[in-house]
Amino acid sequence: MGESYQIRLSTDDLPRKWYNILPDLPEPLPPPIGDEQLQRLPELMIGKCLEQEMSQENWIDIPDGVLELYERAGRPRPLFRARALERAIGTPARMYYKSEFYSPTGSHKVNTALAQAYYAKEQGIERLTTETGAGQWGTALSYACAMVGLKCTIYWVRAVYRWKKARRNLMNLFGAQVFASPSPNTKVGKELYDKNPEHPGSLSIAISEGLEDAQDPKAAYSLGSVLNHVLMHQTIIGLETQKQFEKAGDYPDIMISCLGGGSNFGGFVLPFVGEVLKKGKKIKFIAAQSKAAPNLQGEYKYDYADHGEITPQLKMYTLGHQTEFPPIRGDGLRYHGCSPIISLLRKHGYIDTIAYPQDEKYVFEMAELFTRTEGFLPAPESAYSIACAIDEAHRCKKTGEAKVIAFNVSGHGFMDMVGYDEVLGLSDRSPLREMAK
Ligand SMILES: *Cc1c(COP(=O)(O)O)cnc(C)c1O
């Protein structure tokens, strides 16, 4: 074999501990506030997750049961060297990408869903409830509940529920109960549903329904991004990547991923941020966002995590918890606030950010280039990460610098072909024009 394309770990190399950055942060993380909201949490949340949320331990053991679930989900995942993409750009940069698109449900979200479902089962909880907007989180939790033998109830914003039938069917295949929200199932939902059974719903109503349903003593509520324990579970991505760079005898100068609430970005970069903070390494971290919801360009202040003000307030970069955002295909990037950990690092100057135009034409074109050269179809959210990596590679081409660019591809786009078609006009492409290219 000639040049290598893939850096692979064996199952024995699977990291045994998650990295908790809290004790290494440049200043203590401002605590969540709101007495009433905080008091409700122990009844609603998985005990172990709540405990991990505040932990000051640097390294947290991954239970054997979770390691087994990670292995069943295909971990460790390969790190690829993007040689074909490098050649297409003509860059001296060395580009590497992490393959979270190999996830059984199509996104990195299974990394925390599996850990949460495992802890819930261990605690004797019988059912997990959650809300979902784009649908990736609902699918990941449905899958995780199926793997450990828990029931799963999903409240899905009615407007999206109708539209994404394939994803809904996948959740049903995993055995989840999926309700269009507002539903007649809860008090909050029924009030709205009785007035208008066609109510389009919103993420805040769906959160309220999930939380109300979790008051059942046998149930708990699960969260898919933003919180400290979610980012910590996701560090499995970056910890594997560290081992892979060691194996490759290389080290990143620039690390990139897309950012909605911050879980895939955090999971990918935080172990490396630890090396910057403690070992004096130098890496540029870039979070790729949409101009539709560039939360890292918002204000750093206390704000609610939800529209309905049910959650405690978190200190974070936010655009305001009741702001309405225009629809985009990369729906997972449409959230008002950024995780408190990433926000604090941004405030201290460790995180750069870029926001791409909300028509998404440019990012989808870059996703097309990636698909044609590397062969993997990225999720619309991941297209932002790819666009940013390509921009950096072009910068290297101009300056002649052979930098090492590492980027995360958070998911696959097999269920997002409608979005690709709408943005790129695939169905309207003339075969003759294509041949002339
Ligand atoms: C949910 C999602 C995101 C955005 O969420 P983060 O918590 O910021 O990672 C990005 N990519 C994919 C594929 C997603 O499903």
Side-chain angles (χ1 to χ4, degrees), residues 106-109 134 136-137 224-226 230-231 234 258-266 331-333 379-382 409-412:
S107 83
H108 69 286
K109 290 191 172 75
Q136 284 278 21
W137 171 237
S225 187
V226 181
V230 175
L231 270 65
Q234 293 292 356
C258 61
L259 190 146
S263 76
N264 92 86
F265 179 82
D331 201 35
L333 305 184
E381 291 84 0
S382 315
V409 183
S410 54
H412 71 57

Side-chain angles (χ1 to χ4, degrees), residues 32-34 37-39 41 303-306 309-314:
I33 56 171
Q37 287 90 348
L38 283 165
Q39 271 160 19
L41 293 185
D303 195 9
Y304 293 97
D306 66 312
E309 306 185 355
I310 301 162
T311 63
Q313 292 193 63
L314 306 170

Side-chain angles (χ1 to χ4, degrees), residues 339-354:
S339 113
I341 290 176
I342 306 296
S343 292
L344 185 89
L345 289 166
R346 162 109 175 118
K347 183 193 145 211
H348 283 264
Y350 290 99
I351 313 285
D352 287 346
T353 178
I354 178 164

